[in-house]
């Protein structure tokens, strides 16, 4: 925190290190679409396979 405005002390500030707003917007849209899809798929697969395994028993 002592170098707060700088990412690289004396050379690069936080504002200089930021990506373009259009790039960040593109990543946001991708995240909003992909993350819920992954979560929905995970829940669906869990519901399909829940309770289908049996307790292991060794002879």
């Amino acid at each position: 925190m002592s170098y707060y405005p700088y990412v690289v002390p004396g050379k690069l500030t936080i504002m200089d290190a930021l990506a373009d707003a259009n790039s960040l917007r593109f990543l946001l849209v991708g995240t909003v679409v992909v993350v819920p899809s992954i979560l929905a798929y995970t829940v669906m697969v869990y519901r399909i396979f829940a309770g289908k395994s049996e307790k292991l028993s060794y002879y």
Side-chain angles (χ1 to χ4, degrees):
M1 290 315 259
S2 62
Y3 295 115
Y4 168 65
Y6 294 101
V7 176
V8 177
K11 299 281 184 184
L12 188 64
T13 65
I14 293 173
M15 294 306 290
D16 293 336
L18 289 177
D20 185 42
N22 291 330
S23 299
L24 294 174
R25 209 169 289 117
F26 176 76
L27 289 173
L28 177 64
V29 170
T31 302
V32 166
V33 171
V34 171
V35 170
S37 300
I38 292 171
L39 292 175
Y41 179 78
T42 303
V43 169
M44 180 188 74
V45 169
Y46 178 77
R47 287 188 179 192
I48 289 172
F49 291 105
K52 302 237 174 157
S53 64
E54 298 175 2
K55 186 175 181 180
L56 292 176
S57 61
Y58 297 101
Y59 297 104

